[in-house]
Structure formats: structure tokens, C-alpha cells
């Protein structure tokens, strides 16, 4: 597929062209850049929803239920599932994608897995260009589901329009959310597996915690919705809560979030390229630091000047 053909087919919404474009972007190849420029010109139409929470909270099951409900409304959905990396191949284990197999024949659903590659913030360094290509491909919703790493999983708030935090009554998820600070990134909260004992207590704790921080009449308190994703219960109320948050933000609020996303993407690329430079510096510089011939600050300055 030539570059011109790929560009034309991506613009036309060809899923094979989209898959090829995503492969180029994930690999960080220069051939992805023209497609990314096209995608960014068309961005802003889709609702970009981040789904986060601790492992075992049912994020993938809830995402699958969201797809089903949105498709029933006639809306097209793309899902980017950031899966844990295999310790052997470095690739995605594809667990989330397997859970969404019932949608594989639906032309209105596109599911892509992305290896986390050990990223501590729950997102791969290549998440941003892949997400941009999905957003520019004409979907109504783009759902980003992260790997689920608990307290360090806050990057998602910087890259999505809205953040859905998924918690469960069991395991003290509510208390962990308070300690970790991830309550601060949640725009909507789903207490999943709400048929388990302790659901009412978890909801009460979450509501109490929301009132503890500074707030005024303009503060958005994340709506708390009970869901049983395995049965599709409460999913419609989560979708409506996301739409309410979008109305609350308005165009100005959405633009500020997109600017924050751009800042995050640029900083991520800078960090990645600096790390590449540091790896390429060779053992000599580090050996000099180890021998005490140069201190670590001076070595860092040397890398930055180079």
C-alpha cells in the first residue's frame, strides 16, 4: 500500500488502512506523520473516554458493556486497550481484546490492543499518536482502557476528554482511591459489581470523600453510578453521566483539556528522546561518573547539551 493510497483510504474510513496507520504510529515510523496531521485536523468530533481503575475491577467487562449500549444507539465506537506487556516478547497479552470478541463482526466497532511496555502511568509512550489516529477516523466514541496499575495510573486524565474511574465494593477500592489521589482525576465513578456486599458503604464513602476537598459552586462532583457490567446493568447511566460532564465542560473546557493533551504528548516525546540519547551515550560517560571523575549532575548537563 503506497503512502498516497494509505492516506486516501484512511480519509475514507477504511478499517484496514486505519489498522496499517496504527501499526506505523505504534512503531514510531516517519511514515505515520502525514497521517497524524490528517487525524489532528479532524480531531474533536469524538467523545474520548478514559477508563481506569485497579486490576480486577471489571474495566474490560464494563468497556464491553459500554460498546454494546452505544452500538444499540447507533454510535460507532473505537477502543484502545493498553494491555500488560509480555515479559518475553514485549508485546500485548491481548486479554482485553479477547473479552470484546463478540463485537468482531460489527463494522461499527474497532478494537486495538497496545502493549504498555512497562509504562508506570498506565499508558504506553505510543498511546498518544495511536489515540489521535482513532479520534480522526470518524468514530463517535473513542474509549481508552488502561492497564490498571492503581495508584500510579493518573496519566489518563491528561489524554482524555473524560475519565471514568471503575471501583469495586470488595478489596477496599474506595479507601485506596482516597489515598492514591485518583479521586481527583475522576469525572465519573462506576462502582462495579454493585451486587456484591458493601456496595452501599463504598458509595457512601466516595460521596463523603468528595466533600472533603476544596470546592465551590462551580466544582464538578463526579457522579457515582452503580453498575453490574456482566449483566449490563447501570451502563446507560454511566453514558448519560459522561454526556453531562461534557455539557459541564462546554467548548472552552474541552479546548483546555485538548491543550493539556498536547502538552502531555510533547513532554512525553521529549522525555523519550532524552532517554534514547542517554542510552546512546555509551558506557564511558557512566564509567567516569562511577570513578568519580565527573558528578552525575555534570553528566546530565553533558547529555542535554549534546
Amino acid at each position: 500500500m503506497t503512502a498516497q493510497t494509505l492516506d486516501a483510504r484512511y480519509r475514507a474510513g477504511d478499517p484496514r488502512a486505519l489498522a496499517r496507520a496504527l501499526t506505523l504510529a505504534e512503531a514510531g515510523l516517519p511514515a505515520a506523520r502525514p497521517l497524524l496531521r490528517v487525524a489532528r485536523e479532524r480531531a474533536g468530533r469524538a467523545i474520548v473516554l478514559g477508563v481506569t481503575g485497579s486490576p480486577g475491577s471489571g474495566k474490560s467487562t464494563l468497556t464491553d458493556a459500554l460498546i454494546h449500549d452505544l452500538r444499540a444507539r447507533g454510535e460507532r465506537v473505537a477502543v484502545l486497550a493498553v494491555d500488560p506487556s509480555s515479559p518475553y516478547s514485549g508485546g500485548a497479552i491481548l486479554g482485553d481484546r479477547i473479552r470484546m470478541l463478540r463485537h468482531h463482526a460489527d463494522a461499527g466497532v474497532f478494537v486495538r490492543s497496545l502493549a504498555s511496555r512497562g509504562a508506570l502511568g498506565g499508558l504506553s509512550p505510543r498511546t498518544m499518536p495511536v489515540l489521535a489516529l482513532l479520534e480522526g477516523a470518524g468514530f463517535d466514541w473513542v474509549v481508552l482502557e488502561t492497564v490498571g496499575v492503581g495508584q500510579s495510573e493518573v496519566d489518563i486524565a491528561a489524554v482524555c476528554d473524560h475519565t471514568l474511574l471503575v471501583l469495586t465494593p470488595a478489596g477496599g477500592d474506595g479507601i485506596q482511591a482516597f489515598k492514591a489521589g485518583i479521586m481527583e482525576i475522576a469525572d465519573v465513578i462506576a462502582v462495579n459489581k454493585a451486587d456484591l456486599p458493601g456496595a452501599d458503604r463504598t458509595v457512601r464513602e466516595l460521596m463523603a470523600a468528595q466533600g472533603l476537598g476544596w470546592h465551590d459552586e462551580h466544582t464538578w462532583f463526579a457522579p457515582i453510578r452503580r453498575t453490574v457490567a456482566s449483566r449490563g446493568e447501570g451502563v446507560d447511566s454511566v453514558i448519560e453521566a459522561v454526556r453531562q460532564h461534557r455539557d459541564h465542560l462546554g467548548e472552552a473546557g474541552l479546548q483546555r483539556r485538548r491543550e493539556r493533551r498536547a502538552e502531555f504528548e510533547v513532554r512525553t516525546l521529549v522525555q523519550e528522546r532524552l532517554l534514547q540519547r542517554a542510552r546512546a551515550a555509551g558506557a564511558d560517560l557512566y564509567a567516569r561518573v562511577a570513578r568519580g571523575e565527573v558528578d552525575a549532575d555534570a553528566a546530565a548537563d553533558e547529555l542535554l547539551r549534546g
Side-chain angles (χ1 to χ4, degrees), residues 13 17 25 36 102-103 106 108-109 118 125 145 163 176-177 179 206-207 244 288:
L36 284 166
R102 65 168 168 159
H103 305 289
D106 187 343
V109 178
E145 183 197 329
T163 301
Q176 287 299 319
K179 292 194 300 182
L206 290 168
M207 293 179 66
Q244 289 167 12
R288 287 163 54 204

Side-chain angles (χ1 to χ4, degrees), residues 104-190:
H104 78 280
D106 187 343
V109 178
F110 186 96
V111 180
R112 179 80 172 203
S113 290
L114 187 65
S116 64
R117 304 190 191 280
L120 293 179
L123 300 179
S124 160
R126 292 296 170 189
T127 299
M128 294 306 300
V130 171
L131 187 65
L133 286 168
L134 289 172
E135 190 180 2
F139 293 97
D140 298 301
W141 287 67
V142 176
V143 180
L144 171 62
E145 183 197 329
T146 62
V147 65
V149 292
Q151 296 191 11
S152 64
E153 193 165 1
V154 294
D155 286 354
I156 194 168
V159 304
C160 295
D161 298 337
H162 318 279
T163 301
L164 170 63
L165 175 62
V166 185
L167 303 174
T168 59
D173 262 4
I175 301 300
Q176 287 299 319
F178 309 151
K179 292 194 300 182
I182 54 176
M183 280 281 291
E184 298 174 12
I185 71 168
D187 299 312
V188 179
I189 299 172

Side-chain angles (χ1 to χ4, degrees), residues 211-223:
L212 294 176
W214 182 91
H215 57 274
D216 60 18
E217 66 273 16
H218 304 295
T219 301
W220 172 263
F221 290 105

Side-chain angles (χ1 to χ4, degrees), residues 53-76:
S54 58
S57 59
K59 297 187 302 297
S60 297
T61 306
L62 182 55
T63 299
D64 180 74
L66 286 168
I67 296 171
H68 183 269
D69 204 273
L70 290 168
R71 289 300 294 141
R73 302 175 186 215
E75 301 193 64
R76 298 178 67 239

Side-chain angles (χ1 to χ4, degrees), residues 12-67:
D14 183 342
R16 292 186 179 181
L18 173 58
R20 176 60 178 161
L22 295 177
T23 299
L24 294 173
E26 186 177 357
L29 297 176
R33 291 188 178 181
L35 297 166
L36 284 166
R37 283 194 289 271
V38 173
R40 295 185 201 287
E41 290 171 1
R42 303 167 69 178
R45 304 172 190 174
I47 296 174
V48 182
L49 174 66
V51 181
T52 187
S54 58
S57 59
K59 297 187 302 297
S60 297
T61 306
L62 182 55
T63 299
D64 180 74
L66 286 168
I67 296 171

